[in-house]
Amino acid sequence: MAILKIARMGHPVLARRADPVPDPASSAIRRLVADMVETMIDANGAGLAAPQVHVALRVVVFQAPADRADEGLAETERFDQTAPLTVLINPEIEIIGGDTEGGWEGCLSVPGMRGFVERPAHICYRGVDHEGRLVERTAKGFHARVVQHEFDHLNGILYPQRMSDLKKFIFESEAHHWVKANE
Ligand code: NI
């Protein structure tokens, strides 16, 4: 396994559409996935898409731990908001209903920054993992957000391109000042 170099905003690999993976269970993909997981954990990210490590293929890894879910939810609702470490290859997303939700995002390819992004609140996604098994889930909250963020990477879209108010594009290190001033 290896920790891979992360491409930053401006590198063309982040702006192109990534290619489908013909054989998700191949040894090359297995190796890529192992390196992506190691890189994501090392960088303390919630998700990572293959283009972020200079590989233009439709592969993402992510997790939505329980401590990122909204508090005070019923257990069934909470289930939709959390996901274990997940590998998703050739994913598809379907939006459920018309509700949107705003939330702060960061990206390992846009280091040090945070931005407020409005996205569909409820989605269903499906793909396969690196053993060729079908992965199909509904997602809400942070879980829905991280999946859409990683999916966007596969289509050459970075979260600042999803923002409607650039006043809410801030340095993470200034966030505590921003919060105080906007309470
Ligand atoms: Ni990202």
Side-chain angles (χ1 to χ4, degrees):
M1 297 219 292
I3 292 170
L4 305 173
K5 187 183 180 194
I6 296 174
R8 298 193 294 175
M9 184 163 63
H11 193 294
V13 74
L14 295 172
R16 61 161 282 191
R17 191 181 158 83
D19 298 320
V21 177
D23 181 5
S26 70
S27 59
I29 294 298
R30 204 176 285 258
R31 204 156 42 233
L32 171 66
V33 163
D35 289 347
M36 284 175 63
V37 169
E38 194 179 7
T39 303
M40 177 182 82
I41 289 168
D42 176 70
N44 198 25
L48 190 70
Q52 292 183 274
V53 291
H54 306 84
V55 177
L57 289 174
R58 303 185 82 77
V59 179
V60 304
V61 298
F62 62 89
Q63 50 194 343
D67 60 6
R68 299 291 294 262
D70 294 344
E71 285 170 34
L73 288 172
E75 202 166 316
T76 47
E77 282 280 292
R78 195 169 262 279
F79 180 78
D80 271 350
Q81 296 221 4
T82 60
L85 180 59
T86 300
V87 176
L88 208 54
I89 299 169
N90 299 334
E92 291 167 37
I93 289 184
E94 203 177 303
I95 294 163
I96 301 172
D99 290 353
T100 63
E101 207 168 74
W104 289 93
E105 297 188 17
C107 181
L108 296 173
S109 296
V110 192
M113 303 297 291
R114 287 286 179 272
F116 193 83
V117 185
E118 194 87 17
R119 293 189 187 270
H122 193 189
I123 61 165
C124 168
Y125 64 88
R126 72 184 70 80
V128 294
D129 69 10
H130 54 304
E131 318 228 5
R133 293 176 300 208
L134 178 71
V135 180
E136 186 167 23
R137 295 187 191 130
T138 56
K140 288 180 177 175
F142 178 75
H143 181 193
R145 180 169 301 281
V146 70
V147 171
Q148 290 176 82
H149 176 118
E150 299 314 325
F151 185 78
D152 271 353
H153 275 298
L154 304 182
N155 294 327
I157 297 167
L158 298 177
Y159 79 80
Q161 293 164 250
R162 293 282 187 201
M163 294 182 62
S164 54
D165 181 1
L166 288 174
K167 277 191 218 162
K168 294 180 180 172
F169 190 39
I170 67 174
F171 282 99
E172 189 181 8
S173 56
E174 304 289 7
H176 59 291
H177 294 299
W178 194 95
V179 168
K180 218 180 288 172
N182 288 275
E183 268 169 350

